[in-house]
Amino acid sequence: MKSKQCLVIGLGRFGTAVATTLYEMGHEVVAVDTNEDNVENVTNLVTHAAVLDATEERALKAIGVADFDVVVVGIGTDVQAAILATMNAKSLGAPYVVTKAIDEMARRVLERIGADLVIRPEHDSGVRIARQIATPNLVDTLDLGSDHAIVELEANERIRGNLRDVNLTGRFGVQVIAIKRGGKVEISPRAEEELRAHDKLVVIGLAHAIDDLRRYLG
Ligand code: ADP
């Protein structure tokens, strides 16, 4: 995998975790914050750390914000600063800006001003944990952005026959991308594949469509 050039703005708990993890994974990470202590804390854990106020357009331009593959704005509480930093990064040409929002209103504003991805870490992980708790047959979940997911569901007697007859795509809008059975994995199973009790179906689809299927399976 090609290493990415990342700029992380705001080194609170969230920004620090993003910056140090990306660096550990072999990416180039520049980490900035207005607070000198926060910068100091990550100095040895990222490629380069600096004190910088991201609400100042000139400072972002000087650091070459447009040259980073990804800019992560981890300023949470100061919504105005998060908005300005995101707006500056986008207007200076940053190709992909991920911004943290503290609430739904901030999320809507940040999306409107051009953030490519807005996350609400506490809200998003709360939703995910709730899904895991509430769904005992959900073995694992991989979130693909806010709308889609890949999940593993256990087949039962409610879906009998082969994949064509069961027609999960037509009925629920989800696609079966693999079947796990007795330690083996059948990738891209054929339409003729007969489902058996306890098969683990790996499905992809809209999160709400997967929820519908899960409810149907009981
Ligand atoms: P967390 O909940 O992840 O700890 P916070 O909102 O508490 O997030 O932390 C945000 C960080 O962003 C703080 O370290 C703060 O100093 C930094 N920050 C706030 N405003 C700016 C700004 N204009 N430019 C750069 N960093 C900023």
Side-chain angles (χ1 to χ4, degrees), residues 141-161:
T141 303
L142 175 62
D143 266 339
L144 306 170
S146 52
D147 296 337
H148 291 81
I150 295 178
V151 306
E152 216 177 284
L153 297 167
E154 190 167 313
N156 61 23
E157 68 287 346
R158 302 210 69 170
I159 45 175
R160 279 256 170 84

Side-chain angles (χ1 to χ4, degrees), residues 10-14 33-35 38 52-55 74-77 100:
L11 303 169
R13 290 162 301 173
F14 173 77
D33 197 296
T34 41
N35 180 311
N38 291 355
L52 183 142
D53 184 346
T55 61
I75 305 170
T77 333
K100 168 179 127 168

Side-chain angles (χ1 to χ4, degrees), residues 13-103:
R13 290 162 301 173
F14 173 77
T16 298
V18 173
T20 55
T21 305
L22 282 168
Y23 183 69
E24 276 167 23
M25 293 171 79
H27 299 285
E28 296 274 321
V29 178
V30 175
V32 300
D33 197 296
T34 41
N35 180 311
E36 217 165 301
D37 290 338
N38 291 355
V39 172
E40 187 84 4
N41 283 339
V42 302
T43 305
N44 297 320
L45 307 172
V46 297
T47 316
H48 179 65
V51 173
L52 183 142
D53 184 346
T55 61
E56 288 180 12
E57 195 171 351
R58 269 191 313 176
L60 280 184
K61 194 171 185 178
I63 206 170
V65 69
D67 300 331
F68 289 91
D69 300 308
V70 181
V71 176
V72 178
V73 181
I75 305 170
T77 333
D78 188 346
V79 178
Q80 195 178 329
I83 291 170
L84 275 174
T86 304
M87 232 167 67
N88 288 341
K90 282 314 287 182
S91 66
L92 288 166
Y96 193 72
V97 178
V98 181
T99 303
K100 168 179 127 168
I102 49 163
D103 57 27

